[in-house]
Amino acid sequence: MSYTEYFEKAREQQLGELQEWLSIPSISALSEHKKDINQAAEWLAAKLTAAGLENVEIIPTKGHPLVYADHLHAPGKPTILVYGHYDVQPVDPLHLWETPPFEPSIRDGKLYARGATDDKGQVFLHIKAVEAILKQEGKLPLNIKFCIEGEEEVSSPNLLEFLHTGAERLAADAVLVSDTSLIEKGKPAICTGLRGLCSLEVAIHTANTDLHSGSFGGGVPNALHALVSLLATLHDDKGRVSVEGFYDDVAPLSAEMKAEFAKQGFNESKLQQDLGLNSLYGEEGFSFVERVGARPTLELNGVYGGFQGEGTKTVIPKEAHAKITCRLVANQNPQDILDKIERHLRAHVQAGATLDIQQGEKANAFNIDPSHAFLQAAADAFEKVYGVRALFTKDGGSIPIVETFSRILSAPVVLMGFGLPDENLHAPNEHFNLENFDKGLLTIVEFLKSV
């Protein structure tokens, strides 16, 4: 029986199993769902066992458990570590869901539920692909390990600790992750870069109390004015970050990567229209996909202070605040960037104002050469199933654990996703297109049989 026939025959049962898993509200960020998290881990362990995996174990952590499994009976063959997560985002606002988020439903060729595409649906593909090979052929063509966590949506604090202490157990020749997207329907992609991240909060203080603008206006510093003028120094009029040394470690885009970006055929005019904008904006000299995938940024995420109630209050505020994040690219060090931004802010603060800065989260960027043999094998597998060779892209988002896997395990990470950008991950009405459910199973089988 061909794999196409196998999966067609098993489809109804497999979708039913996936809907069981999706019905478990494994929300890692909310403590009241601790029981659900454990139930989702137990469900996963049972399915890994049923699929033919061995050494299946639910590993306790200080938070939510990891689920491990392996099948290591191919001496001399590569070992692949499959990583994913079974935790999901909160569902608010609930009233915007067309059907309840934990009552999975299929309509118009799409499976709707929280976690359908991020990441239960995509993890499920790997379990069923391995199960299919074992049932069809009685053995695997390589060695495989699974490490599925329950805290990805809360920054993987305990997986990081496990990686540092249990790296030998997870050792592999490559890490395989399906938690990303195709470019669009029928147009597969393999992500070769994820931006890093750093954040800080800024507070400006002036007088020891808010002041009447009639009595003091024009004669004392205004915290809001000081903050606005300070923030304006962070960029020039061409969209570049003005912080000294910000771009020192940013490598220029290679001709090959520029060509891959161009192949996407991204329609900037359509994006502008869809967003209701009269113009896009960003660093001069780069296309939209280059700006959001391969260039670093500094963004204001929140600016607040002074009177914000109804009507007018003629006050000179004593303090003002801003939240800032940066997306970083390969070779940029998050701590170095935070220190440079802090030096810039302290050097440009207005006279009469004092500055408090709190540095926050830090995550390294991930980057991999698309010519690597494992990535080329993944592109070949996509082409066999989709009829179109996968493009190599860079994603503007951050998945910090990917860089950590790559660094600690000294292994390439293959980001081989089957979602679509419009599947509402993290939003109401999250869904997974079943075309990619079907093709994803076949693609993973092709990949595992070819490396």
Side-chain angles (χ1 to χ4, degrees):
M1 182 189 308
S2 72
Y3 281 98
T4 299
E5 292 170 328
Y6 173 92
F7 286 122
E8 285 176 352
K9 185 177 179 180
R11 189 176 196 263
E12 184 175 348
Q13 178 183 338
Q14 290 181 348
L15 284 175
E17 291 178 15
L18 177 55
Q19 289 179 79
E20 286 178 12
W21 201 21
L22 292 170
S23 70
I24 303 172
S26 49
I27 303 171
S28 54
L30 302 178
S31 59
E32 62 262 35
H33 287 283
K34 176 68 174 177
K35 182 179 178 181
D36 300 312
I37 283 278
N38 291 331
Q39 183 186 355
E42 291 164 2
W43 187 99
L44 173 60
K47 290 303 175 186
L48 288 164
T49 301
L53 276 299
E54 301 171 343
N55 302 309
V56 178
E57 183 180 355
I58 297 174
I59 302 172
T61 74
K62 295 175 184 176
H64 303 315
L66 301 168
V67 180
Y68 175 86
D70 63 37
H71 195 281
L72 307 174
H73 298 288
K77 298 294 185 180
T79 298
I80 300 293
L81 172 66
V82 176
Y83 163 77
H85 63 95
Y86 64 86
D87 64 321
V88 301
Q89 282 277 322
V91 297
D92 309 89
L94 189 59
H95 71 278
L96 294 181
W97 286 80
E98 293 181 20
T99 51
F102 297 110
E103 295 179 18
S105 63
I106 296 174
R107 53 186 188 272
D108 301 322
K110 302 171 184 177
L111 173 58
Y112 285 81
R114 172 60 88 225
T117 189
D118 181 24
D119 182 37
K120 288 179 179 176
Q122 298 201 56
V123 168
F124 186 78
L125 297 179
H126 291 275
I127 301 169
K128 292 304 173 183
V130 169
E131 181 180 63
I133 297 174
L134 287 171
K135 286 187 174 181
Q136 290 274 90
E137 304 183 30
K139 62 180 181 179
L140 295 180
L142 42 59
N143 304 293
I144 200 157
K145 300 177 180 180
F146 281 78
C147 177
I148 314 299
E149 68 158 319
E151 297 183 325
E152 193 274 344
E153 300 293 6
V154 290
S155 301
S156 307
N158 292 294
L159 176 57
L160 288 172
E161 183 175 326
F162 182 76
L163 263 174
H164 283 95
T165 59
E168 185 175 341
R169 188 174 187 183
L170 298 181
D173 296 293
V175 182
L176 180 58
V177 181
S178 292
D179 198 9
T180 52
S181 300
L182 283 70
I183 294 171
E184 59 186 46
K185 178 181 169 66
K187 203 170 183 178
I190 296 170
C191 180
T192 65
L194 294 162
R195 291 194 290 190
L197 180 73
C198 64
S199 68
L200 66 158
E201 295 190 25
V202 178
I204 290 251
H205 300 278
T206 50
N208 57 11
T209 184
D210 289 350
L211 297 168
H212 189 292
S213 67
S215 302
F216 293 92
V220 297
N222 180 313
L224 278 172
H225 292 180
L227 180 64
V228 170
S229 65
L230 179 61
L231 298 179
T233 69
L234 292 171
H235 294 85
D236 66 18
D237 59 2
K238 298 186 185 301
R240 280 180 62 86
V241 177
S242 299
V243 173
E244 184 177 353
F246 186 82
Y247 295 97
D248 282 357
D249 298 316
V250 178
L253 276 176
S254 67
E256 293 79 10
M257 202 66 237
K258 275 186 167 291
E260 288 293 317
F261 279 126
K263 287 177 187 175
Q264 294 184 31
F266 188 83
N267 189 331
E268 294 192 6
S269 297
K270 183 178 185 303
L271 175 66
Q272 180 179 317
Q273 182 179 357
D274 290 347
L275 296 179
L277 296 169
N278 57 29
S279 175
L280 298 180
Y281 177 80
E283 189 181 358
E284 189 175 70
F286 296 93
S287 68
F288 175 82
V289 291
E290 291 169 345
R291 289 170 182 163
V292 302
R295 298 295 294 172
T297 66
L298 187 157
E299 299 286 355
L300 307 180
N301 306 121
V303 178
Y304 53 99
F307 177 66
Q308 298 173 55
E310 184 179 357
T312 300
K313 182 181 181 183
T314 54
V315 64
I316 298 174
K318 69 170 186 174
E319 62 183 73
H321 304 263
K323 294 178 182 287
I324 300 171
T325 56
C326 296
R327 298 287 181 170
L328 308 177
V329 297
N331 302 325
Q332 284 186 299
N333 181 295
Q335 186 60 60
D336 175 61
I337 293 299
L338 285 172
D339 292 342
K340 287 174 177 175
I341 295 170
E342 181 164 345
R343 283 197 296 271
H344 175 97
L345 293 171
R346 294 196 184 282
H348 289 82
V349 67
Q350 175 185 304
T354 59
L355 192 60
D356 289 331
I357 297 174
Q358 288 189 333
Q359 296 187 7
E361 57 195 320
K362 299 182 283 287
N364 293 319
F366 165 75
N367 195 55
I368 188 170
D369 186 344
S371 68
H372 195 288
F374 282 110
L375 273 70
Q376 290 296 317
D380 291 340
F382 271 121
E383 187 171 14
K384 288 178 181 177
V385 176
Y386 282 80
V388 178
R389 189 170 177 79
L391 294 178
F392 294 103
T393 64
K394 292 187 182 294
D395 195 310
S398 304
I399 309 177
I401 198 65
V402 169
E403 186 275 338
T404 307
F405 269 120
S406 176
R407 174 167 40 85
I408 292 179
L409 300 183
S410 298
V413 180
V414 183
L415 291 164
M416 191 179 193
F418 299 96
L420 285 176
D422 62 355
E423 288 180 335
N424 289 12
L425 62 165
H426 293 203
N429 302 310
E430 179 181 346
H431 57 276
F432 190 21
N433 281 260
L434 294 183
E435 174 186 349
N436 292 320
F437 175 89
D438 298 328
K439 290 184 175 180
L441 289 164
L442 293 169
T443 303
I444 294 168
V445 168
E446 287 286 349
F447 176 72
L448 296 179
K449 287 171 65 66
S450 67
V451 296

